[in-house]
């Protein structure tokens, strides 16, 4: 049985706490939806912030909503070189000991002390999809991307939840290396 999953290429983006949203955009501010994302209830917001590192700035980094319990900036390895922040590869939410950056919004600034990561490649599985294929939460998978420069990715983390929809997330560096694009498919081979 082939295990085919859709691919989503994740460009640099940021998740913010409600407290940081209000510092950056004003008291009581609520993010507004630009477009829905592959995961139920999540969206790309109309709002963006500037991210300032020691060597450079990204002027318009898209915010993903809704608000999160911790602020987290997800960038590619190439992005980390461009702004001078040594971001480690981490699973989303695991930000202890990571570097910080300065965030600038229309109403204020926030210096985050930690939260900058290169997101570990992963596949979101709805529990039913994982059970059907015998995949366990946190299992490391091997996945074949079939872009014009197809390649095999190892150490792809399985993330299983009743609230997830089946989707593989890779960053722009991984997509560029393989020629893969959002909407393509990948095959779990091990």
């Amino acid at each position: 049985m082939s295990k085919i999953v859709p691919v989503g290429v994740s460009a640099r983006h940021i998740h913010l706490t409600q407290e940081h949203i209000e510092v950056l955009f004003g008291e009581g501010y609520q993010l507004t939806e630009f477009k829905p994302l592959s995961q139920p209830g999540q969206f790309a917001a109309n709002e963006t912030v500037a991210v300032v590192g020691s060597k450079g700035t990204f002027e318009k980094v898209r915010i993903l909503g809704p608000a999160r319990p911790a602020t987290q900036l997800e960038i590619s390895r190439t992005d980390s070189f461009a702004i001078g922040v040594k971001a480690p590869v981490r699973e989303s939410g695991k930000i202890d000991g990571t570097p910080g950056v300065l965030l600038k919004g229309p109403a204020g600034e926030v210096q985050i002390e930690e939260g900058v990561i290169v997101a570990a490649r992963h596949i979101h599985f709805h529990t039913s999809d994982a059970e059907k294929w015998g995949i366990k939460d946190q299992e490391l998978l091997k996945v074949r991307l079939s872009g014009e420069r197809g390649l095999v990715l190892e150490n792809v983390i399985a993330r299983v939840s009743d609230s997830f929809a089946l989707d593989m997330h890779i960053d722009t560096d991984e997509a560029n290396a393989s020629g893969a694009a959002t909407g393509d498919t990948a095959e779990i081979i091990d």
Side-chain angles (χ1 to χ4, degrees), residues 2 6 13 21 29 41 63 86-87 93 97 111 118 138 154-155:
S2 61
H13 63 273
I21 291 168
Y29 194 89
I63 301 168
K86 192 169 182 173
Q111 176 70 46
V118 174
Q138 298 299 303
E154 296 189 10
N155 302 319

Side-chain angles (χ1 to χ4, degrees), residues 76-90:
S76 70
R77 180 74 72 210
T78 300
D79 287 342
S80 74
F81 298 142
I83 62 170
V85 176
K86 192 169 182 173
V89 175
R90 293 281 180 88

